[in-house]
Amino acid sequence: MNDADVSRQIQQMVRFIRQEADEKSNEISVSAEEEFNIEKLQMVEAEKKKIRQEYERKEKQVDIRRKIEYSMQLNASRLKVLQAQDDVVNSMKDAAAKELLLVSHKHHEYRRLLKGLIVQSLLRLKEPAILLRCRKEDLHHLHHALESAIEEYAEKAVVDQPEVIVDDIYLPSAPSHHHDHGLTCSGGVVLASRDGKIVFENSLDARLDVVFRNKLPEIRKWLFGQVVA
């Protein structure tokens, strides 16, 4: 083989090696580009997922804040309604308390009422010795009612007549423009056992409080229908 043949074979080998190198280079390039595209797609999807999660998190926060704000507004509205209802009920009770002031002005009826209150109190206490307290301005009414009340109680309870002592400490006076503040009493009596351990408050104000406390659900239903929960 002469030099020309050797040179041709070498050239063929060089071309073959170059061709293989080019093919391998293209193969590596294509593979690298595929891996790059896959990794880029994964990164894009991961970022999309993070963005979606962040959006969902913020959306939930907004929804929670909206629900909290709605609940607060609803509670505030309910409180306003309840306060308005309480104001109406209290004004109704105040009006009833003002009517009670007129009871003691009708002397005959008030004396009969005092007698009934005393009998009721004696029946509740059932004590042989009683301390009775009333308003100072009611003393003259009390003297007219006390004796017959003691007799009626003894007959109803089938007991001896109890010893009833009128206390020289009086219930507060009726409210007036001179007594805008402090304790007041519209009338009635308070009875206690002699040792003071048992007390039965039967003043008109106490009875009004009891009536309103016991009848409050009915009063609210009558005034407002369905009560706000």
Side-chain angles (χ1 to χ4, degrees):
M1 181 179 298
N2 56 29
D3 292 340
D5 292 333
V6 171
S7 177
R8 246 188 337 269
Q9 287 185 354
I10 290 173
Q11 290 296 325
Q12 288 177 350
M13 291 177 64
V14 168
R15 284 196 298 272
F16 178 75
I17 292 171
R18 284 180 176 175
Q19 186 177 354
E20 273 202 343
D22 290 340
E23 291 176 355
K24 193 65 175 177
S25 175
N26 288 335
E27 184 180 335
I28 292 172
S29 178
V30 170
S31 177
E33 187 173 357
E34 287 179 353
E35 290 180 2
F36 170 76
N37 289 333
I38 292 172
E39 186 174 353
K40 182 176 72 173
L41 183 62
Q42 290 175 342
M43 291 177 64
V44 169
E45 289 301 321
E47 288 300 318
K48 285 182 179 179
K49 185 178 180 181
K50 285 173 63 177
I51 292 172
R52 282 196 300 269
Q53 289 175 341
E54 180 67 14
Y55 174 78
E56 289 173 358
R57 185 184 67 82
K58 290 183 177 180
E59 189 177 32
K60 287 180 180 178
Q61 286 181 341
V62 170
D63 187 55
I64 290 172
R65 283 198 295 268
R66 182 183 60 79
K67 288 180 179 178
I68 292 174
E69 184 177 353
Y70 172 76
S71 179
M72 291 175 65
Q73 291 177 350
L74 182 61
N75 288 336
S77 297
R78 284 175 173 170
L79 289 174
K80 287 181 179 179
V81 171
L82 290 175
Q83 184 61 56
Q85 291 180 353
D86 285 343
D87 291 343
V88 172
V89 171
N90 289 333
S91 65
M92 184 178 178
K93 185 178 179 182
D94 291 340
K98 290 178 181 178
E99 290 294 322
L100 283 182
L101 296 176
L102 304 177
V103 173
S104 61
H105 295 170
K106 301 174 183 178
H107 295 175
H108 182 70
E109 293 180 10
Y110 185 54
R111 289 171 185 174
R112 189 168 64 244
L113 175 61
L114 280 177
K115 177 184 174 181
L117 292 174
I118 293 169
V119 172
Q120 183 185 53
S121 302
L122 291 172
L123 287 169
R124 181 64 65 89
L125 293 175
K126 292 184 178 179
E127 291 286 321
I130 296 293
L131 188 66
L132 184 149
R133 186 174 293 179
C134 67
R135 302 185 306 178
K136 189 173 183 179
E137 57 263 41
D138 288 344
L139 281 175
H140 62 292
H141 296 305
L142 183 67
H143 291 314
H144 284 85
L146 184 56
E147 185 175 349
S148 60
I150 293 174
E151 292 175 356
E152 182 176 330
Y153 159 71
E155 290 178 6
K156 286 186 175 181
V158 193
V159 296
D160 293 333
Q161 293 186 11
E163 179 188 7
V164 178
I165 298 176
V166 179
D167 198 352
D168 56 1
I169 299 176
Y170 303 107
L171 298 177
S173 297
S176 67
H177 63 279
H178 299 296
H179 299 88
D180 290 336
H181 304 286
L183 296 176
T184 60
C185 179
S186 300
V189 292
V190 174
L191 274 68
S193 58
R194 182 63 61 84
D195 56 12
K197 292 182 178 179
I198 307 174
V199 178
F200 185 64
E201 188 173 356
N202 219 3
S203 67
L204 300 185
D205 307 273
R207 293 181 69 87
L208 178 63
D209 288 339
V210 170
V211 168
F212 258 82
R213 186 165 57 250
N214 293 339
K215 296 292 185 180
L216 187 57
E218 295 178 33
I219 293 172
R220 285 186 173 277
K221 187 175 181 181
W222 176 68
L223 288 174
F224 314 116
Q226 183 65 37
V227 178
V228 177

